[in-house]
Short mmCIF file of all heavy atoms in Angstrom, two decimals:
data_model
loop_
_atom_site.label_atom_id
_atom_site.label_comp_id
_atom_site.label_asym_id
_atom_site.label_seq_id
_atom_site.Cartn_x
_atom_site.Cartn_y
_atom_site.Cartn_z
N ASN A 36 9.46 24.48 32.69
CA ASN A 36 10.85 24.62 33.22
C ASN A 36 11.85 23.86 32.31
O ASN A 36 12.53 22.96 32.73
CB ASN A 36 10.92 24.10 34.65
CG ASN A 36 10.14 24.93 35.62
OD1 ASN A 36 9.99 26.12 35.46
ND2 ASN A 36 9.62 24.31 36.64
N PRO A 37 11.87 24.24 31.04
CA PRO A 37 12.67 23.47 30.05
C PRO A 37 14.18 23.86 30.11
O PRO A 37 14.55 24.87 30.69
CB PRO A 37 12.09 23.97 28.71
CG PRO A 37 11.69 25.39 28.98
CD PRO A 37 11.16 25.39 30.41
N ASN A 38 14.94 22.99 29.51
CA ASN A 38 16.34 23.28 29.24
C ASN A 38 16.35 24.21 28.02
O ASN A 38 15.95 23.82 26.95
CB ASN A 38 17.13 21.98 28.95
CG ASN A 38 18.58 22.27 28.60
OD1 ASN A 38 18.93 22.95 27.67
ND2 ASN A 38 19.49 21.65 29.41
N ALA A 39 16.82 25.42 28.23
CA ALA A 39 16.72 26.42 27.16
C ALA A 39 17.45 25.97 25.91
O ALA A 39 16.93 26.19 24.77
CB ALA A 39 17.36 27.77 27.68
N GLN A 40 18.60 25.34 26.01
CA GLN A 40 19.36 24.96 24.88
C GLN A 40 18.61 23.94 24.03
O GLN A 40 18.66 23.97 22.77
CB GLN A 40 20.75 24.43 25.29
CG GLN A 40 21.73 24.29 24.13
CD GLN A 40 21.96 25.59 23.37
OE1 GLN A 40 22.03 26.65 23.94
NE2 GLN A 40 22.04 25.50 22.02
N ASP A 41 17.93 23.01 24.66
CA ASP A 41 17.13 21.98 23.97
C ASP A 41 16.12 22.64 23.10
O ASP A 41 15.88 22.28 21.94
CB ASP A 41 16.47 21.00 24.95
CG ASP A 41 17.45 20.02 25.55
OD1 ASP A 41 18.56 19.91 25.05
OD2 ASP A 41 17.06 19.37 26.52
N ILE A 42 15.35 23.62 23.69
CA ILE A 42 14.30 24.32 22.95
C ILE A 42 14.85 25.12 21.80
O ILE A 42 14.34 25.10 20.69
CB ILE A 42 13.49 25.23 23.90
CG1 ILE A 42 12.86 24.42 25.06
CG2 ILE A 42 12.42 26.00 23.16
CD1 ILE A 42 11.82 23.43 24.60
N ILE A 43 15.93 25.84 22.06
CA ILE A 43 16.55 26.67 21.02
C ILE A 43 16.98 25.83 19.85
O ILE A 43 16.74 26.19 18.67
CB ILE A 43 17.72 27.46 21.60
CG1 ILE A 43 17.22 28.54 22.57
CG2 ILE A 43 18.56 28.13 20.47
CD1 ILE A 43 18.28 29.18 23.44
N GLU A 44 17.61 24.70 20.11
CA GLU A 44 18.09 23.82 19.04
C GLU A 44 16.95 23.23 18.20
O GLU A 44 17.03 23.19 16.96
CB GLU A 44 18.96 22.71 19.63
CG GLU A 44 20.31 23.13 20.10
CD GLU A 44 21.15 22.01 20.73
OE1 GLU A 44 20.65 20.88 20.71
OE2 GLU A 44 22.24 22.30 21.22
N ASN A 45 15.89 22.82 18.92
CA ASN A 45 14.80 22.18 18.19
C ASN A 45 14.01 23.23 17.37
O ASN A 45 13.65 22.97 16.25
CB ASN A 45 13.82 21.50 19.12
CG ASN A 45 12.97 20.45 18.45
OD1 ASN A 45 13.34 19.83 17.49
ND2 ASN A 45 11.75 20.27 18.93
N VAL A 46 13.86 24.43 17.94
CA VAL A 46 13.17 25.49 17.20
C VAL A 46 13.96 25.90 15.95
O VAL A 46 13.39 26.17 14.90
CB VAL A 46 12.87 26.71 18.13
CG1 VAL A 46 12.54 27.96 17.32
CG2 VAL A 46 11.79 26.39 19.12
N GLU A 47 15.25 25.92 16.10
CA GLU A 47 16.12 26.28 14.99
C GLU A 47 15.97 25.32 13.80
O GLU A 47 15.80 25.70 12.67
CB GLU A 47 17.59 26.34 15.46
CG GLU A 47 18.58 26.78 14.38
CD GLU A 47 19.96 26.91 14.89
OE1 GLU A 47 20.15 27.17 16.09
OE2 GLU A 47 20.90 26.71 14.10
N GLU A 48 15.94 24.02 14.10
CA GLU A 48 15.75 23.00 13.07
C GLU A 48 14.33 22.99 12.59
O GLU A 48 14.11 22.92 11.34
CB GLU A 48 16.15 21.62 13.61
CG GLU A 48 15.99 20.50 12.62
CD GLU A 48 16.84 20.71 11.33
OE1 GLU A 48 18.00 21.16 11.47
OE2 GLU A 48 16.32 20.45 10.23
N LEU A 49 13.36 23.13 13.44
CA LEU A 49 11.96 23.13 13.04
C LEU A 49 11.66 24.32 12.10
O LEU A 49 10.88 24.20 11.19
CB LEU A 49 11.06 23.19 14.24
CG LEU A 49 10.63 21.85 14.87
CD1 LEU A 49 9.86 22.11 16.17
CD2 LEU A 49 9.81 21.05 13.91
N SER A 50 12.31 25.45 12.37
CA SER A 50 12.02 26.67 11.63
C SER A 50 12.38 26.52 10.13
O SER A 50 11.80 27.19 9.31
CB SER A 50 12.76 27.86 12.21
OG SER A 50 12.31 28.17 13.46
N SER A 51 13.24 25.56 9.87
CA SER A 51 13.65 25.36 8.47
C SER A 51 12.67 24.37 7.80
O SER A 51 12.76 24.12 6.60
CB SER A 51 15.10 24.77 8.39
OG SER A 51 15.12 23.50 8.95
N GLN A 52 11.79 23.78 8.61
CA GLN A 52 10.84 22.73 8.04
C GLN A 52 9.39 23.11 8.07
O GLN A 52 8.59 22.56 7.30
CB GLN A 52 11.08 21.39 8.82
CG GLN A 52 12.50 20.90 8.75
CD GLN A 52 12.65 19.51 9.31
OE1 GLN A 52 11.77 18.67 9.19
NE2 GLN A 52 13.77 19.21 9.97
N VAL A 53 8.99 24.04 8.99
CA VAL A 53 7.55 24.51 9.04
C VAL A 53 7.57 25.99 9.14
O VAL A 53 8.54 26.61 9.53
CB VAL A 53 6.80 23.87 10.24
CG1 VAL A 53 6.72 22.37 10.14
CG2 VAL A 53 7.48 24.26 11.57
N ASN A 54 6.45 26.60 8.77
CA ASN A 54 6.35 28.08 8.75
C ASN A 54 6.08 28.69 10.16
O ASN A 54 6.57 29.79 10.40
CB ASN A 54 5.26 28.53 7.83
CG ASN A 54 5.59 28.34 6.39
OD1 ASN A 54 6.75 28.37 5.98
ND2 ASN A 54 4.60 27.98 5.57
N HIS A 55 5.32 27.98 10.97
CA HIS A 55 5.01 28.54 12.28
C HIS A 55 5.14 27.47 13.36
O HIS A 55 4.83 26.28 13.17
CB HIS A 55 3.56 29.12 12.30
CG HIS A 55 3.42 30.43 11.59
ND1 HIS A 55 2.99 30.54 10.27
CD2 HIS A 55 3.64 31.69 12.02
CE1 HIS A 55 2.98 31.79 9.92
NE2 HIS A 55 3.37 32.51 10.94
N ILE A 56 5.59 27.94 14.53
CA ILE A 56 5.74 27.12 15.71
C ILE A 56 4.97 27.78 16.86
O ILE A 56 5.21 28.94 17.14
CB ILE A 56 7.20 26.95 16.07
CG1 ILE A 56 7.96 26.32 14.90
CG2 ILE A 56 7.35 26.05 17.29
CD1 ILE A 56 9.48 26.39 15.04
N TYR A 57 4.09 27.01 17.50
CA TYR A 57 3.41 27.51 18.70
C TYR A 57 4.09 26.87 19.91
O TYR A 57 4.40 25.66 19.90
CB TYR A 57 1.95 27.07 18.67
CG TYR A 57 1.17 27.69 17.47
CD1 TYR A 57 0.99 26.89 16.37
CD2 TYR A 57 0.64 28.96 17.57
CE1 TYR A 57 0.27 27.41 15.27
CE2 TYR A 57 -0.06 29.49 16.46
CZ TYR A 57 -0.24 28.66 15.36
OH TYR A 57 -0.92 29.23 14.27
N ILE A 58 4.30 27.61 20.96
CA ILE A 58 4.85 27.14 22.20
C ILE A 58 3.89 27.52 23.30
O ILE A 58 3.58 28.65 23.52
CB ILE A 58 6.28 27.68 22.50
CG1 ILE A 58 7.28 27.28 21.41
CG2 ILE A 58 6.72 27.23 23.87
CD1 ILE A 58 8.64 27.82 21.64
N VAL A 59 3.38 26.44 23.98
CA VAL A 59 2.55 26.71 25.17
C VAL A 59 3.45 26.39 26.35
O VAL A 59 3.95 25.32 26.55
CB VAL A 59 1.33 25.78 25.24
CG1 VAL A 59 0.66 25.79 26.60
CG2 VAL A 59 0.30 26.20 24.17
N ASP A 60 3.67 27.43 27.21
CA ASP A 60 4.46 27.25 28.44
C ASP A 60 3.52 27.14 29.60
O ASP A 60 2.67 27.96 29.86
CB ASP A 60 5.44 28.40 28.64
CG ASP A 60 6.23 28.16 29.88
OD1 ASP A 60 7.20 27.33 29.79
OD2 ASP A 60 5.96 28.70 30.95
N ASN A 61 3.75 26.06 30.40
CA ASN A 61 2.86 25.74 31.57
C ASN A 61 3.36 26.34 32.86
O ASN A 61 3.56 25.67 33.85
CB ASN A 61 2.69 24.23 31.68
CG ASN A 61 1.47 23.73 30.99
OD1 ASN A 61 0.56 24.48 30.65
ND2 ASN A 61 1.46 22.41 30.75
N GLY A 62 3.54 27.72 32.86
CA GLY A 62 3.87 28.35 34.09
C GLY A 62 5.31 28.14 34.59
O GLY A 62 5.60 28.07 35.78
N SER A 63 6.23 28.10 33.60
CA SER A 63 7.69 27.96 33.94
C SER A 63 8.25 29.17 34.61
O SER A 63 7.74 30.27 34.46
CB SER A 63 8.50 27.62 32.68
OG SER A 63 8.04 26.39 32.10
N LYS A 64 9.38 28.95 35.29
CA LYS A 64 10.08 30.08 35.91
C LYS A 64 11.11 30.69 34.98
O LYS A 64 11.46 31.87 35.06
CB LYS A 64 10.75 29.61 37.20
CG LYS A 64 9.77 29.11 38.26
CD LYS A 64 10.46 28.52 39.44
CE LYS A 64 9.52 27.99 40.47
NZ LYS A 64 10.20 27.35 41.66
N ASN A 65 11.69 29.85 34.09
CA ASN A 65 12.80 30.29 33.28
C ASN A 65 12.33 30.47 31.80
O ASN A 65 12.70 29.75 30.89
CB ASN A 65 13.90 29.28 33.31
CG ASN A 65 13.49 27.88 32.92
OD1 ASN A 65 12.31 27.51 33.05
ND2 ASN A 65 14.42 27.10 32.30
N THR A 66 11.53 31.49 31.52
CA THR A 66 11.00 31.64 30.18
C THR A 66 11.53 32.90 29.46
O THR A 66 11.07 33.21 28.34
CB THR A 66 9.46 31.74 30.21
OG1 THR A 66 9.04 32.81 31.07
CG2 THR A 66 8.87 30.39 30.76
N THR A 67 12.42 33.59 30.06
CA THR A 67 12.95 34.83 29.40
C THR A 67 13.50 34.56 28.00
O THR A 67 13.30 35.34 27.08
CB THR A 67 14.07 35.45 30.24
OG1 THR A 67 13.59 35.66 31.57
CG2 THR A 67 14.53 36.81 29.69
N PHE A 68 14.19 33.40 27.84
CA PHE A 68 14.72 33.09 26.55
C PHE A 68 13.70 32.89 25.49
O PHE A 68 14.02 32.96 24.30
CB PHE A 68 15.63 31.84 26.67
CG PHE A 68 14.85 30.53 26.79
CD1 PHE A 68 14.60 29.79 25.66
CD2 PHE A 68 14.38 30.11 28.02
CE1 PHE A 68 13.87 28.61 25.73
CE2 PHE A 68 13.69 28.91 28.13
CZ PHE A 68 13.41 28.16 26.98
#
Side-chain angles (χ1 to χ4, degrees):
N36 294 329
N38 178 301
Q40 193 58 39
D41 285 347
I42 300 296
I43 290 167
E44 287 177 4
N45 199 32
V46 165
E47 185 177 330
E48 180 58 42
L49 272 175
S50 295
S51 68
Q52 300 189 37
V53 297
N54 290 328
H55 285 95
I56 302 166
Y57 300 96
I58 297 178
V59 167
D60 181 77
N61 266 342
S63 298
K64 297 174 183 177
N65 57 331
T66 58
T67 306
F68 75 96

